[in-house]
Amino acid sequence: MCASSELTDVLKEVIREMVEGNDVAVAFSGGLDCGIVASIAKDYANSIHLYTAGVDDAYDVNESRNVSEILDLEWDHIRISEDDIEDNVREMILITGTVNPITLSFEIPLYYVSKNVPERMIIGGQGADELFAGYSKYIGLSEDEFKDQREADMASLLTKTLKHESMVADHFGKEILYPYLDERVRAIVERMDIKDIIPGEVRKKTLRDVAEAIGQPEVAAKKKKAAQYGSGAMNLLRKVAKRKDMTVNEMIAGWSDE
């Protein structure tokens, strides 16, 4: 059995176990990773609702609106605005103790979803970029460099990012589900030839094959955009900081000291 076929079967099994019979929110960017998750989950969950947090007319908001129609799933835009981002980031710092600006901006969309959705369970695509080499920084690396960088990124995800997200979820009474981080999924990736993972002309080819296999060719064709930029969160933080005549780092440092 080829890796993509085996991965498709295992993802279906993992996601079914996670969502079967439950009302589930999808933290949705409109991209490949969460598109696969949403498409599979809708076959097993009691209900599936897509939520995209972003500024008005953000890349993720526009993409997600379109993909929700392809998937035939209900979708809502959770608005991030200049009026509320400061209070929410301050609250996120208070809840988690996270003060790294990049981490905070990356985590803003999930924070807004966790805070605003009625569903207790939230599922998404976290971990797919580390496992399947979705980040642009992996392009052009040698095999050894890629292995080292991916190992470091996965360690950071498991020890820092998930800790941050767990604190946010606990604060709002939510549970975040990570199908790509299930040990069965990770075991398949570990058995794959590194040459089939390291990015070439196409990133995350194995996952794109999965999207094709589950009947979602348009999802398979989706491009990657970092969460902090796709949601517009980082640009909004820069706008708020500029208004205060500060850098983003200076502004967040000030909030963390309060």
Side-chain angles (χ1 to χ4, degrees), residues 156-193:
S156 178
L157 171 68
L158 296 175
T159 61
K160 297 178 182 178
T161 304
L162 266 59
K163 180 180 178 181
H164 171 103
E165 293 180 358
S166 177
M167 287 187 282
V168 170
D170 289 347
H171 182 80
F172 294 115
K174 302 296 175 19
E175 178 185 1
I176 302 177
L177 309 174
Y178 301 97
Y180 290 110
L181 296 179
D182 184 277
E183 60 183 10
R184 289 163 288 183
V185 175
R186 294 173 65 184
I188 293 172
V189 177
E190 288 174 4
R191 294 196 298 271
M192 291 175 61
D193 190 321

Short mmCIF file of all heavy atoms in Angstrom, two decimals, residues 156-193:
data_model
loop_
_atom_site.label_atom_id
_atom_site.label_comp_id
_atom_site.label_asym_id
_atom_site.label_seq_id
_atom_site.Cartn_x
_atom_site.Cartn_y
_atom_site.Cartn_z
N SER A 156 9.31 22.09 19.15
CA SER A 156 8.71 23.36 19.58
C SER A 156 7.19 23.27 19.59
O SER A 156 6.52 23.76 20.51
CB SER A 156 9.16 24.48 18.65
OG SER A 156 8.57 25.71 19.01
N LEU A 157 6.64 22.62 18.56
CA LEU A 157 5.19 22.44 18.49
C LEU A 157 4.67 21.65 19.69
O LEU A 157 3.70 22.05 20.35
CB LEU A 157 4.83 21.71 17.20
CG LEU A 157 3.38 21.25 17.05
CD1 LEU A 157 2.44 22.45 16.92
CD2 LEU A 157 3.21 20.32 15.84
N LEU A 158 5.33 20.54 19.98
CA LEU A 158 4.85 19.65 21.03
C LEU A 158 5.05 20.21 22.44
O LEU A 158 4.24 19.96 23.34
CB LEU A 158 5.53 18.28 20.91
CG LEU A 158 5.23 17.51 19.63
CD1 LEU A 158 6.07 16.23 19.58
CD2 LEU A 158 3.76 17.17 19.51
N THR A 159 6.12 20.97 22.63
CA THR A 159 6.44 21.44 23.98
C THR A 159 5.95 22.85 24.27
O THR A 159 5.68 23.20 25.43
CB THR A 159 7.95 21.38 24.24
OG1 THR A 159 8.62 22.23 23.30
CG2 THR A 159 8.46 19.96 24.12
N LYS A 160 5.83 23.69 23.23
CA LYS A 160 5.46 25.09 23.45
C LYS A 160 4.08 25.43 22.89
O LYS A 160 3.20 25.90 23.61
CB LYS A 160 6.51 26.01 22.83
CG LYS A 160 7.89 25.87 23.45
CD LYS A 160 8.91 26.78 22.75
CE LYS A 160 10.30 26.62 23.34
NZ LYS A 160 11.31 27.47 22.63
N THR A 161 3.89 25.16 21.60
CA THR A 161 2.63 25.54 20.96
C THR A 161 1.44 24.83 21.58
O THR A 161 0.42 25.46 21.89
CB THR A 161 2.69 25.24 19.44
OG1 THR A 161 3.81 25.91 18.88
CG2 THR A 161 1.41 25.69 18.77
N LEU A 162 1.54 23.51 21.74
CA LEU A 162 0.41 22.77 22.30
C LEU A 162 0.13 23.15 23.74
O LEU A 162 -1.03 23.15 24.18
CB LEU A 162 0.67 21.26 22.19
CG LEU A 162 0.08 20.60 20.95
CD1 LEU A 162 0.63 21.21 19.68
CD2 LEU A 162 0.32 19.10 20.96
N LYS A 163 1.17 23.52 24.47
CA LYS A 163 0.97 23.99 25.85
C LYS A 163 0.18 25.29 25.84
O LYS A 163 -0.76 25.47 26.63
CB LYS A 163 2.32 24.19 26.52
CG LYS A 163 2.22 24.68 27.97
CD LYS A 163 3.61 24.87 28.58
CE LYS A 163 3.52 25.40 30.01
NZ LYS A 163 4.87 25.61 30.60
N HIS A 164 0.57 26.21 24.96
CA HIS A 164 -0.15 27.48 24.81
C HIS A 164 -1.61 27.23 24.46
O HIS A 164 -2.53 27.78 25.08
CB HIS A 164 0.52 28.31 23.73
CG HIS A 164 -0.23 29.54 23.34
ND1 HIS A 164 0.13 30.80 23.75
CD2 HIS A 164 -1.35 29.71 22.56
CE1 HIS A 164 -0.73 31.68 23.26
NE2 HIS A 164 -1.62 31.03 22.53
N GLU A 165 -1.84 26.39 23.45
CA GLU A 165 -3.20 26.15 22.99
C GLU A 165 -4.04 25.43 24.03
O GLU A 165 -5.25 25.68 24.15
CB GLU A 165 -3.16 25.35 21.68
CG GLU A 165 -2.56 26.16 20.54
CD GLU A 165 -2.50 25.43 19.22
OE1 GLU A 165 -2.89 24.24 19.17
OE2 GLU A 165 -2.05 26.04 18.23
N SER A 166 -3.41 24.56 24.79
CA SER A 166 -4.13 23.86 25.86
C SER A 166 -4.63 24.84 26.92
O SER A 166 -5.76 24.71 27.42
CB SER A 166 -3.22 22.81 26.49
OG SER A 166 -3.87 22.17 27.58
N MET A 167 -3.81 25.82 27.27
CA MET A 167 -4.22 26.80 28.26
C MET A 167 -5.38 27.66 27.76
O MET A 167 -6.31 27.97 28.50
CB MET A 167 -3.03 27.66 28.67
CG MET A 167 -2.02 26.94 29.54
SD MET A 167 -0.71 28.02 30.21
CE MET A 167 0.35 28.16 28.76
N VAL A 168 -5.33 28.02 26.48
CA VAL A 168 -6.43 28.78 25.89
C VAL A 168 -7.71 27.94 25.89
O VAL A 168 -8.79 28.41 26.29
CB VAL A 168 -6.08 29.22 24.46
CG1 VAL A 168 -7.30 29.79 23.75
CG2 VAL A 168 -4.96 30.26 24.48
N ALA A 169 -7.59 26.70 25.43
CA ALA A 169 -8.76 25.83 25.37
C ALA A 169 -9.36 25.60 26.75
O ALA A 169 -10.59 25.69 26.94
CB ALA A 169 -8.37 24.49 24.74
N ASP A 170 -8.52 25.32 27.72
CA ASP A 170 -9.01 25.10 29.09
C ASP A 170 -9.73 26.33 29.63
O ASP A 170 -10.77 26.21 30.30
CB ASP A 170 -7.85 24.73 30.02
CG ASP A 170 -7.30 23.33 29.76
OD1 ASP A 170 -7.95 22.56 29.04
OD2 ASP A 170 -6.20 23.04 30.26
N HIS A 171 -9.19 27.50 29.33
CA HIS A 171 -9.78 28.74 29.83
C HIS A 171 -11.20 28.93 29.31
O HIS A 171 -12.07 29.41 30.05
CB HIS A 171 -8.92 29.93 29.40
CG HIS A 171 -9.41 31.25 29.89
ND1 HIS A 171 -9.18 31.71 31.17
CD2 HIS A 171 -10.15 32.22 29.27
CE1 HIS A 171 -9.74 32.90 31.32
NE2 HIS A 171 -10.33 33.23 30.17
N PHE A 172 -11.44 28.52 28.07
CA PHE A 172 -12.76 28.72 27.47
C PHE A 172 -13.60 27.44 27.49
O PHE A 172 -14.68 27.40 26.87
CB PHE A 172 -12.62 29.23 26.04
CG PHE A 172 -12.03 30.61 25.96
CD1 PHE A 172 -10.79 30.82 25.36
CD2 PHE A 172 -12.69 31.70 26.50
CE1 PHE A 172 -10.24 32.10 25.29
CE2 PHE A 172 -12.15 32.98 26.44
CZ PHE A 172 -10.93 33.18 25.83
N GLY A 173 -13.13 26.40 28.18
CA GLY A 173 -13.91 25.17 28.29
C GLY A 173 -13.99 24.37 27.01
O GLY A 173 -14.98 23.69 26.75
N LYS A 174 -12.92 24.42 26.21
CA LYS A 174 -12.90 23.73 24.92
C LYS A 174 -11.86 22.61 24.91
O LYS A 174 -10.94 22.59 25.74
CB LYS A 174 -12.59 24.73 23.79
CG LYS A 174 -13.58 25.90 23.70
CD LYS A 174 -14.96 25.44 23.36
CE LYS A 174 -16.03 26.50 23.36
NZ LYS A 174 -15.70 27.88 23.27
N GLU A 175 -12.00 21.71 23.95
CA GLU A 175 -11.02 20.66 23.72
C GLU A 175 -10.56 20.76 22.27
O GLU A 175 -11.39 20.76 21.36
CB GLU A 175 -11.62 19.28 23.97
CG GLU A 175 -10.66 18.13 23.70
CD GLU A 175 -11.30 16.76 23.83
OE1 GLU A 175 -12.52 16.68 24.11
OE2 GLU A 175 -10.58 15.76 23.63
N ILE A 176 -9.25 20.84 22.06
CA ILE A 176 -8.72 20.93 20.71
C ILE A 176 -8.21 19.56 20.27
O ILE A 176 -7.46 18.89 21.00
CB ILE A 176 -7.59 21.98 20.62
CG1 ILE A 176 -8.12 23.35 21.07
CG2 ILE A 176 -7.05 22.06 19.19
CD1 ILE A 176 -7.08 24.44 21.09
N LEU A 177 -8.63 19.15 19.09
CA LEU A 177 -8.28 17.84 18.56
C LEU A 177 -7.20 17.99 17.50
O LEU A 177 -7.26 18.88 16.65
CB LEU A 177 -9.52 17.18 17.94
CG LEU A 177 -10.77 17.13 18.83
CD1 LEU A 177 -11.96 16.58 18.05
CD2 LEU A 177 -10.51 16.29 20.08
N TYR A 178 -6.22 17.08 17.53
CA TYR A 178 -5.07 17.15 16.63
C TYR A 178 -4.91 15.85 15.85
O TYR A 178 -4.05 15.02 16.19
CB TYR A 178 -3.80 17.42 17.42
CG TYR A 178 -3.80 18.69 18.25
CD1 TYR A 178 -4.11 18.67 19.61
CD2 TYR A 178 -3.47 19.91 17.67
CE1 TYR A 178 -4.09 19.83 20.37
CE2 TYR A 178 -3.45 21.08 18.42
CZ TYR A 178 -3.76 21.04 19.77
OH TYR A 178 -3.74 22.19 20.52
N PRO A 179 -5.68 15.64 14.80
CA PRO A 179 -5.59 14.36 14.09
C PRO A 179 -4.23 14.08 13.46
O PRO A 179 -3.77 12.94 13.44
CB PRO A 179 -6.69 14.47 13.02
CG PRO A 179 -6.99 15.93 12.91
CD PRO A 179 -6.76 16.49 14.27
N TYR A 180 -3.55 15.12 12.98
CA TYR A 180 -2.25 14.89 12.34
C TYR A 180 -1.18 14.51 13.34
O TYR A 180 -0.13 13.97 12.95
CB TYR A 180 -1.81 16.14 11.57
CG TYR A 180 -2.63 16.41 10.34
CD1 TYR A 180 -3.50 17.52 10.28
CD2 TYR A 180 -2.57 15.58 9.23
CE1 TYR A 180 -4.25 17.77 9.15
CE2 TYR A 180 -3.33 15.83 8.09
CZ TYR A 180 -4.17 16.93 8.06
OH TYR A 180 -4.93 17.17 6.94
N LEU A 181 -1.41 14.78 14.61
CA LEU A 181 -0.40 14.44 15.63
C LEU A 181 -0.68 13.09 16.29
O LEU A 181 0.07 12.68 17.18
CB LEU A 181 -0.34 15.55 16.68
CG LEU A 181 0.13 16.91 16.17
CD1 LEU A 181 0.13 17.94 17.29
CD2 LEU A 181 1.53 16.79 15.56
N ASP A 182 -1.71 12.41 15.85
CA ASP A 182 -1.98 11.07 16.36
C ASP A 182 -0.79 10.16 16.04
O ASP A 182 -0.19 10.25 14.97
CB ASP A 182 -3.26 10.52 15.73
CG ASP A 182 -3.66 9.17 16.28
OD1 ASP A 182 -3.12 8.14 15.81
OD2 ASP A 182 -4.51 9.13 17.21
N GLU A 183 -0.49 9.28 16.96
CA GLU A 183 0.71 8.44 16.80
C GLU A 183 0.63 7.55 15.56
O GLU A 183 1.65 7.21 14.95
CB GLU A 183 0.92 7.57 18.04
CG GLU A 183 -0.20 6.62 18.37
CD GLU A 183 0.04 5.84 19.65
OE1 GLU A 183 1.00 6.17 20.39
OE2 GLU A 183 -0.73 4.90 19.91
N ARG A 184 -0.58 7.17 15.14
CA ARG A 184 -0.73 6.34 13.95
C ARG A 184 -0.37 7.12 12.68
O ARG A 184 0.22 6.56 11.74
CB ARG A 184 -2.17 5.80 13.86
CG ARG A 184 -2.50 4.74 14.90
CD ARG A 184 -3.99 4.54 15.05
NE ARG A 184 -4.61 5.68 15.74
CZ ARG A 184 -5.91 5.75 16.07
NH1 ARG A 184 -6.71 4.75 15.73
NH2 ARG A 184 -6.39 6.79 16.70
N VAL A 185 -0.73 8.38 12.64
CA VAL A 185 -0.38 9.23 11.51
C VAL A 185 1.13 9.46 11.48
O VAL A 185 1.79 9.35 10.44
CB VAL A 185 -1.14 10.57 11.57
CG1 VAL A 185 -0.67 11.50 10.45
CG2 VAL A 185 -2.64 10.33 11.47
N ARG A 186 1.68 9.79 12.63
CA ARG A 186 3.11 10.06 12.71
C ARG A 186 3.93 8.82 12.36
O ARG A 186 5.01 8.93 11.76
CB ARG A 186 3.46 10.58 14.10
CG ARG A 186 2.83 11.94 14.40
CD ARG A 186 3.06 12.37 15.83
NE ARG A 186 4.47 12.60 16.10
CZ ARG A 186 4.96 12.90 17.29
NH1 ARG A 186 4.13 13.02 18.33
NH2 ARG A 186 6.25 13.10 17.47
N ALA A 187 3.42 7.65 12.68
CA ALA A 187 4.14 6.41 12.37
C ALA A 187 4.25 6.21 10.86
O ALA A 187 5.28 5.74 10.35
CB ALA A 187 3.44 5.22 13.01
N ILE A 188 3.19 6.57 10.12
CA ILE A 188 3.24 6.46 8.66
C ILE A 188 4.30 7.39 8.10
O ILE A 188 5.09 7.01 7.23
CB ILE A 188 1.85 6.79 8.06
CG1 ILE A 188 0.84 5.71 8.44
CG2 ILE A 188 1.96 6.90 6.53
CD1 ILE A 188 -0.58 6.06 8.05
N VAL A 189 4.33 8.61 8.60
CA VAL A 189 5.30 9.59 8.11
C VAL A 189 6.73 9.14 8.41
O VAL A 189 7.63 9.30 7.58
CB VAL A 189 5.03 10.98 8.73
CG1 VAL A 189 6.07 11.98 8.26
CG2 VAL A 189 3.63 11.46 8.36
N GLU A 190 6.94 8.56 9.57
CA GLU A 190 8.28 8.09 9.94
C GLU A 190 8.78 7.00 9.01
O GLU A 190 9.99 6.85 8.81
CB GLU A 190 8.27 7.60 11.39
CG GLU A 190 8.15 8.72 12.41
CD GLU A 190 7.99 8.20 13.83
OE1 GLU A 190 8.07 6.96 14.02
OE2 GLU A 190 7.80 9.02 14.74
N ARG A 191 7.86 6.24 8.43
CA ARG A 191 8.25 5.15 7.52
C ARG A 191 8.48 5.64 6.10
O ARG A 191 9.01 4.91 5.27
CB ARG A 191 7.18 4.05 7.52
CG ARG A 191 7.03 3.31 8.84
CD ARG A 191 6.26 2.01 8.64
NE ARG A 191 4.90 2.23 8.15
CZ ARG A 191 3.84 2.42 8.92
NH1 ARG A 191 3.97 2.43 10.24
NH2 ARG A 191 2.64 2.59 8.40
N MET A 192 8.07 6.85 5.81
CA MET A 192 8.21 7.39 4.45
C MET A 192 9.66 7.74 4.15
O MET A 192 10.41 8.13 5.04
CB MET A 192 7.32 8.62 4.27
CG MET A 192 5.84 8.33 4.26
SD MET A 192 4.83 9.86 4.21
CE MET A 192 5.38 10.56 2.64
N ASP A 193 10.03 7.61 2.90
CA ASP A 193 11.35 8.06 2.44
C ASP A 193 11.42 9.57 2.56
O ASP A 193 10.49 10.27 2.13
CB ASP A 193 11.56 7.63 0.99
CG ASP A 193 13.00 7.82 0.50
OD1 ASP A 193 13.61 8.85 0.87
OD2 ASP A 193 13.49 6.95 -0.23
#
